[in-house]
PDB file of all heavy atoms in Angstrom:
ATOM      1  N   PRO A   1      18.597  79.195  23.841  1.00 98.00           N
ATOM      2  CA  PRO A   1      18.572  78.117  24.850  1.00 98.00           C
ATOM      3  C   PRO A   1      18.767  76.772  24.328  1.00 98.00           C
ATOM      4  O   PRO A   1      18.512  76.497  23.161  1.00 98.00           O
ATOM      5  CB  PRO A   1      17.182  78.251  25.458  1.00 98.00           C
ATOM      6  CG  PRO A   1      16.308  78.804  24.296  1.00 98.00           C
ATOM      7  CD  PRO A   1      17.322  79.763  23.556  1.00 98.00           C
ATOM      8  N   THR A   2      19.304  75.867  25.126  1.00 98.00           N
ATOM      9  CA  THR A   2      19.501  74.525  24.668  1.00 98.00           C
ATOM     10  C   THR A   2      18.132  73.733  24.796  1.00 98.00           C
ATOM     11  O   THR A   2      17.238  74.245  25.321  1.00 98.00           O
ATOM     12  CB  THR A   2      20.516  73.773  25.639  1.00 98.00           C
ATOM     13  OG1 THR A   2      19.944  73.721  26.926  1.00 98.00           O
ATOM     14  CG2 THR A   2      21.792  74.491  25.675  1.00 98.00           C
ATOM     15  N   GLU A   3      18.112  72.607  24.106  1.00 98.00           N
ATOM     16  CA  GLU A   3      16.881  71.823  24.270  1.00 98.00           C
ATOM     17  C   GLU A   3      16.555  71.431  25.690  1.00 98.00           C
ATOM     18  O   GLU A   3      15.443  71.341  26.042  1.00 98.00           O
ATOM     19  CB  GLU A   3      17.043  70.569  23.382  1.00 98.00           C
ATOM     20  CG  GLU A   3      17.021  70.817  21.862  1.00 98.00           C
ATOM     21  CD  GLU A   3      17.012  69.546  21.035  1.00 98.00           C
ATOM     22  OE1 GLU A   3      16.868  68.457  21.672  1.00 98.00           O
ATOM     23  OE2 GLU A   3      17.128  69.623  19.761  1.00 98.00           O
ATOM     24  N   GLU A   4      17.658  71.194  26.429  1.00 98.00           N
ATOM     25  CA  GLU A   4      17.461  70.836  27.861  1.00 98.00           C
ATOM     26  C   GLU A   4      16.797  71.947  28.577  1.00 98.00           C
ATOM     27  O   GLU A   4      15.926  71.771  29.375  1.00 98.00           O
ATOM     28  CB  GLU A   4      18.816  70.482  28.450  1.00 98.00           C
ATOM     29  CG  GLU A   4      18.742  69.990  29.885  1.00 98.00           C
ATOM     30  CD  GLU A   4      20.060  69.717  30.454  1.00 98.00           C
ATOM     31  OE1 GLU A   4      21.097  70.169  29.965  1.00 98.00           O
ATOM     32  OE2 GLU A   4      20.137  68.996  31.534  1.00 98.00           O
ATOM     33  N   GLN A   5      17.272  73.206  28.303  1.00 98.00           N
ATOM     34  CA  GLN A   5      16.649  74.313  29.008  1.00 98.00           C
ATOM     35  C   GLN A   5      15.140  74.421  28.612  1.00 98.00           C
ATOM     36  O   GLN A   5      14.290  74.629  29.501  1.00 98.00           O
ATOM     37  CB  GLN A   5      17.336  75.647  28.500  1.00 98.00           C
ATOM     38  CG  GLN A   5      18.583  76.027  29.269  1.00 98.00           C
ATOM     39  CD  GLN A   5      19.282  77.245  28.667  1.00 98.00           C
ATOM     40  OE1 GLN A   5      20.017  77.176  27.621  1.00 98.00           O
ATOM     41  NE2 GLN A   5      18.958  78.434  29.191  1.00 98.00           N
ATOM     42  N   GLN A   6      14.871  74.367  27.322  1.00 98.00           N
ATOM     43  CA  GLN A   6      13.496  74.428  26.867  1.00 98.00           C
ATOM     44  C   GLN A   6      12.556  73.425  27.552  1.00 98.00           C
ATOM     45  O   GLN A   6      11.493  73.692  27.992  1.00 98.00           O
ATOM     46  CB  GLN A   6      13.439  74.364  25.320  1.00 98.00           C
ATOM     47  CG  GLN A   6      14.133  75.480  24.675  1.00 98.00           C
ATOM     48  CD  GLN A   6      14.193  75.358  23.129  1.00 98.00           C
ATOM     49  OE1 GLN A   6      13.637  74.443  22.583  1.00 98.00           O
ATOM     50  NE2 GLN A   6      14.772  76.271  22.406  1.00 98.00           N
ATOM     51  N   THR A   7      13.074  72.179  27.528  1.00 98.00           N
ATOM     52  CA  THR A   7      12.259  71.099  28.108  1.00 98.00           C
ATOM     53  C   THR A   7      11.980  71.302  29.616  1.00 98.00           C
ATOM     54  O   THR A   7      10.844  71.171  30.082  1.00 98.00           O
ATOM     55  CB  THR A   7      12.985  69.760  27.875  1.00 98.00           C
ATOM     56  OG1 THR A   7      13.159  69.459  26.468  1.00 98.00           O
ATOM     57  CG2 THR A   7      12.171  68.636  28.532  1.00 98.00           C
ATOM     58  N   LEU A   8      13.084  71.596  30.332  1.00 98.00           N
ATOM     59  CA  LEU A   8      12.945  71.733  31.808  1.00 98.00           C
ATOM     60  C   LEU A   8      12.106  73.005  32.129  1.00 98.00           C
ATOM     61  O   LEU A   8      11.260  72.929  32.999  1.00 98.00           O
ATOM     62  CB  LEU A   8      14.336  71.849  32.347  1.00 98.00           C
ATOM     63  CG  LEU A   8      14.291  71.990  33.990  1.00 98.00           C
ATOM     64  CD1 LEU A   8      13.513  70.860  34.646  1.00 98.00           C
ATOM     65  CD2 LEU A   8      15.741  72.012  34.536  1.00 98.00           C
ATOM     66  N   TYR A   9      12.373  74.084  31.498  1.00 98.00           N
ATOM     67  CA  TYR A   9      11.626  75.382  31.881  1.00 98.00           C
ATOM     68  C   TYR A   9      10.177  75.229  31.546  1.00 98.00           C
ATOM     69  O   TYR A   9       9.287  75.707  32.274  1.00 98.00           O
ATOM     70  CB  TYR A   9      12.260  76.636  31.184  1.00 98.00           C
ATOM     71  CG  TYR A   9      13.691  76.886  31.657  1.00 98.00           C
ATOM     72  CD1 TYR A   9      14.368  76.061  32.524  1.00 98.00           C
ATOM     73  CD2 TYR A   9      14.354  78.002  31.208  1.00 98.00           C
ATOM     74  CE1 TYR A   9      15.655  76.372  32.959  1.00 98.00           C
ATOM     75  CE2 TYR A   9      15.651  78.347  31.558  1.00 98.00           C
ATOM     76  CZ  TYR A   9      16.299  77.452  32.451  1.00 98.00           C
ATOM     77  OH  TYR A   9      17.519  77.779  32.864  1.00 98.00           O
ATOM     78  N   ARG A  10       9.828  74.619  30.393  1.00 98.00           N
ATOM     79  CA  ARG A  10       8.376  74.373  30.104  1.00 98.00           C
ATOM     80  C   ARG A  10       7.788  73.404  31.062  1.00 98.00           C
ATOM     81  O   ARG A  10       6.603  73.535  31.459  1.00 98.00           O
ATOM     82  CB  ARG A  10       8.342  73.861  28.701  1.00 98.00           C
ATOM     83  CG  ARG A  10       8.710  74.839  27.633  1.00 98.00           C
ATOM     84  CD  ARG A  10       8.854  74.200  26.287  1.00 98.00           C
ATOM     85  NE  ARG A  10       9.283  75.172  25.249  1.00 98.00           N
ATOM     86  CZ  ARG A  10       9.711  74.831  24.021  1.00 98.00           C
ATOM     87  NH1 ARG A  10       9.778  73.499  23.680  1.00 98.00           N
ATOM     88  NH2 ARG A  10      10.095  75.765  23.200  1.00 98.00           N
ATOM     89  N   GLN A  11       8.581  72.439  31.572  1.00 98.00           N
ATOM     90  CA  GLN A  11       8.071  71.493  32.587  1.00 98.00           C
ATOM     91  C   GLN A  11       7.805  72.244  33.905  1.00 98.00           C
ATOM     92  O   GLN A  11       6.822  71.917  34.638  1.00 98.00           O
ATOM     93  CB  GLN A  11       9.147  70.382  32.835  1.00 98.00           C
ATOM     94  CG  GLN A  11       8.640  69.174  33.492  1.00 98.00           C
ATOM     95  CD  GLN A  11       9.538  68.003  33.428  1.00 98.00           C
ATOM     96  OE1 GLN A  11      10.739  68.201  33.339  1.00 98.00           O
ATOM     97  NE2 GLN A  11       9.016  66.847  33.500  1.00 98.00           N
ATOM     98  N   MET A  12       8.651  73.214  34.215  1.00 98.00           N
ATOM     99  CA  MET A  12       8.393  74.035  35.402  1.00 98.00           C
ATOM    100  C   MET A  12       7.071  74.713  35.360  1.00 98.00           C
ATOM    101  O   MET A  12       6.297  74.847  36.292  1.00 98.00           O
ATOM    102  CB  MET A  12       9.535  75.020  35.570  1.00 98.00           C
ATOM    103  CG  MET A  12      10.858  74.420  35.992  1.00 98.00           C
ATOM    104  SD  MET A  12      12.140  75.666  36.099  1.00 98.00           S
ATOM    105  CE  MET A  12      13.495  74.641  36.773  1.00 98.00           C
ATOM    106  N   VAL A  13       6.703  75.198  34.177  1.00 98.00           N
ATOM    107  CA  VAL A  13       5.394  75.805  33.932  1.00 98.00           C
ATOM    108  C   VAL A  13       4.336  74.827  34.141  1.00 98.00           C
ATOM    109  O   VAL A  13       3.301  75.090  34.774  1.00 98.00           O
ATOM    110  CB  VAL A  13       5.327  76.499  32.529  1.00 98.00           C
ATOM    111  CG1 VAL A  13       3.896  76.971  32.252  1.00 98.00           C
ATOM    112  CG2 VAL A  13       6.340  77.675  32.505  1.00 98.00           C
ATOM    113  N   ASP A  14       4.477  73.650  33.648  1.00 98.00           N
ATOM    114  CA  ASP A  14       3.500  72.563  33.758  1.00 98.00           C
ATOM    115  C   ASP A  14       3.250  72.246  35.265  1.00 98.00           C
ATOM    116  O   ASP A  14       2.218  71.977  35.668  1.00 98.00           O
ATOM    117  CB  ASP A  14       3.904  71.250  33.070  1.00 98.00           C
ATOM    118  CG  ASP A  14       3.839  71.342  31.560  1.00 98.00           C
ATOM    119  OD1 ASP A  14       3.034  72.196  31.066  1.00 98.00           O
ATOM    120  OD2 ASP A  14       4.521  70.601  30.845  1.00 98.00           O
ATOM    121  N   TRP A  15       4.321  72.360  36.073  1.00 98.00           N
ATOM    122  CA  TRP A  15       4.263  72.098  37.526  1.00 98.00           C
ATOM    123  C   TRP A  15       3.554  73.171  38.286  1.00 98.00           C
ATOM    124  O   TRP A  15       3.126  73.009  39.369  1.00 98.00           O
ATOM    125  CB  TRP A  15       5.615  71.820  38.039  1.00 98.00           C
ATOM    126  CG  TRP A  15       6.298  70.551  37.646  1.00 98.00           C
ATOM    127  CD1 TRP A  15       5.622  69.395  37.210  1.00 98.00           C
ATOM    128  CD2 TRP A  15       7.679  70.264  37.563  1.00 98.00           C
ATOM    129  NE1 TRP A  15       6.610  68.423  36.809  1.00 98.00           N
ATOM    130  CE2 TRP A  15       7.870  68.973  37.042  1.00 98.00           C
ATOM    131  CE3 TRP A  15       8.848  71.065  37.822  1.00 98.00           C
ATOM    132  CZ2 TRP A  15       9.107  68.392  36.810  1.00 98.00           C
ATOM    133  CZ3 TRP A  15      10.123  70.451  37.618  1.00 98.00           C
ATOM    134  CH2 TRP A  15      10.194  69.115  37.168  1.00 98.00           C
ATOM    135  N   GLY A  16       3.567  74.365  37.683  1.00 98.00           N
ATOM    136  CA  GLY A  16       2.901  75.510  38.434  1.00 98.00           C
ATOM    137  C   GLY A  16       3.623  76.802  38.415  1.00 98.00           C
ATOM    138  O   GLY A  16       3.072  77.786  38.862  1.00 98.00           O
ATOM    139  N   ALA A  17       4.767  76.911  37.716  1.00 98.00           N
ATOM    140  CA  ALA A  17       5.550  78.208  37.672  1.00 98.00           C
ATOM    141  C   ALA A  17       4.761  79.124  36.750  1.00 98.00           C
ATOM    142  O   ALA A  17       4.286  78.793  35.707  1.00 98.00           O
ATOM    143  CB  ALA A  17       6.922  77.971  37.188  1.00 98.00           C
ATOM    144  N   ASP A  18       4.697  80.422  37.150  1.00 98.00           N
ATOM    145  CA  ASP A  18       4.063  81.474  36.417  1.00 98.00           C
ATOM    146  C   ASP A  18       5.134  82.267  35.656  1.00 98.00           C
ATOM    147  O   ASP A  18       4.914  82.772  34.521  1.00 98.00           O
ATOM    148  CB  ASP A  18       3.256  82.373  37.250  1.00 98.00           C
ATOM    149  CG  ASP A  18       2.136  81.631  37.953  1.00 98.00           C
ATOM    150  OD1 ASP A  18       1.136  81.358  37.323  1.00 98.00           O
ATOM    151  OD2 ASP A  18       2.237  81.342  39.155  1.00 98.00           O
ATOM    152  N   LEU A  19       6.249  82.472  36.265  1.00 98.00           N
ATOM    153  CA  LEU A  19       7.403  83.197  35.737  1.00 98.00           C
ATOM    154  C   LEU A  19       8.691  82.382  35.924  1.00 98.00           C
ATOM    155  O   LEU A  19       8.997  81.964  37.061  1.00 98.00           O
ATOM    156  CB  LEU A  19       7.549  84.578  36.396  1.00 98.00           C
ATOM    157  CG  LEU A  19       6.405  85.604  36.280  1.00 98.00           C
ATOM    158  CD1 LEU A  19       6.491  86.596  37.375  1.00 98.00           C
ATOM    159  CD2 LEU A  19       6.486  86.252  34.902  1.00 98.00           C
ATOM    160  N   VAL A  20       9.328  82.205  34.836  1.00 98.00           N
ATOM    161  CA  VAL A  20      10.678  81.545  34.948  1.00 98.00           C
ATOM    162  C   VAL A  20      11.775  82.511  34.319  1.00 98.00           C
ATOM    163  O   VAL A  20      11.785  82.890  33.223  1.00 98.00           O
ATOM    164  CB  VAL A  20      10.750  80.266  34.048  1.00 98.00           C
ATOM    165  CG1 VAL A  20      12.139  79.594  34.101  1.00 98.00           C
ATOM    166  CG2 VAL A  20       9.651  79.256  34.441  1.00 98.00           C
ATOM    167  N   PHE A  21      12.631  82.941  35.334  1.00 98.00           N
ATOM    168  CA  PHE A  21      13.690  83.802  35.005  1.00 98.00           C
ATOM    169  C   PHE A  21      15.053  83.110  35.072  1.00 98.00           C
ATOM    170  O   PHE A  21      15.591  82.847  36.108  1.00 98.00           O
ATOM    171  CB  PHE A  21      13.690  85.045  36.022  1.00 98.00           C
ATOM    172  CG  PHE A  21      12.525  85.944  35.967  1.00 98.00           C
ATOM    173  CD1 PHE A  21      12.001  86.540  37.062  1.00 98.00           C
ATOM    174  CD2 PHE A  21      11.821  86.121  34.698  1.00 98.00           C
ATOM    175  CE1 PHE A  21      10.943  87.427  37.002  1.00 98.00           C
ATOM    176  CE2 PHE A  21      10.763  86.996  34.687  1.00 98.00           C
ATOM    177  CZ  PHE A  21      10.263  87.630  35.813  1.00 98.00           C
ATOM    178  N   GLY A  22      15.570  82.691  33.905  1.00 98.00           N
ATOM    179  CA  GLY A  22      16.799  81.958  33.870  1.00 98.00           C
ATOM    180  C   GLY A  22      18.010  82.804  33.916  1.00 98.00           C
ATOM    181  O   GLY A  22      18.079  83.987  33.653  1.00 98.00           O
ATOM    182  N   GLY A  23      19.141  82.066  34.269  1.00 98.00           N
ATOM    183  CA  GLY A  23      20.466  82.698  34.283  1.00 98.00           C
ATOM    184  C   GLY A  23      21.514  81.697  34.048  1.00 98.00           C
ATOM    185  O   GLY A  23      21.323  80.580  33.802  1.00 98.00           O
ATOM    186  N   HIS A  24      22.800  82.239  33.943  1.00 98.00           N
ATOM    187  CA  HIS A  24      24.020  81.482  33.867  1.00 98.00           C
ATOM    188  C   HIS A  24      24.808  81.726  32.540  1.00 98.00           C
ATOM    189  O   HIS A  24      26.010  81.852  32.563  1.00 98.00           O
ATOM    190  CB  HIS A  24      23.887  80.005  33.951  1.00 98.00           C
ATOM    191  CG  HIS A  24      25.157  79.275  33.793  1.00 98.00           C
ATOM    192  ND1 HIS A  24      26.266  79.411  34.525  1.00 98.00           N
ATOM    193  CD2 HIS A  24      25.531  78.337  32.763  1.00 98.00           C
ATOM    194  CE1 HIS A  24      27.258  78.668  34.088  1.00 98.00           C
ATOM    195  NE2 HIS A  24      26.811  78.046  33.019  1.00 98.00           N
ATOM    196  N   PRO A  25      24.094  81.886  31.300  1.00 98.00           N
ATOM    197  CA  PRO A  25      24.940  82.047  30.091  1.00 98.00           C
ATOM    198  C   PRO A  25      25.734  83.317  30.034  1.00 98.00           C
ATOM    199  O   PRO A  25      26.567  83.440  29.136  1.00 98.00           O
ATOM    200  CB  PRO A  25      23.841  81.994  29.031  1.00 98.00           C
ATOM    201  CG  PRO A  25      22.766  81.154  29.590  1.00 98.00           C
ATOM    202  CD  PRO A  25      22.740  81.553  31.091  1.00 98.00           C
TER     203      PRO A  25
END
């Protein structure tokens, strides 16, 4: 993952996400 992915997906967890299932690559 890019740094941008890591930062944003971890932020989603901070906001309340329990599971983050990414896509696109």
Side-chain angles (χ1 to χ4, degrees):
T2 65
E3 290 186 9
E4 185 182 15
Q5 280 174 277
Q6 294 176 1
T7 299
L8 181 57
Y9 294 5
R10 292 167 184 171
Q11 198 168 26
M12 289 175 174
V13 173
D14 288 338
W15 292 334
D18 300 283
L19 294 160
V20 180
F21 293 150
H24 177 63

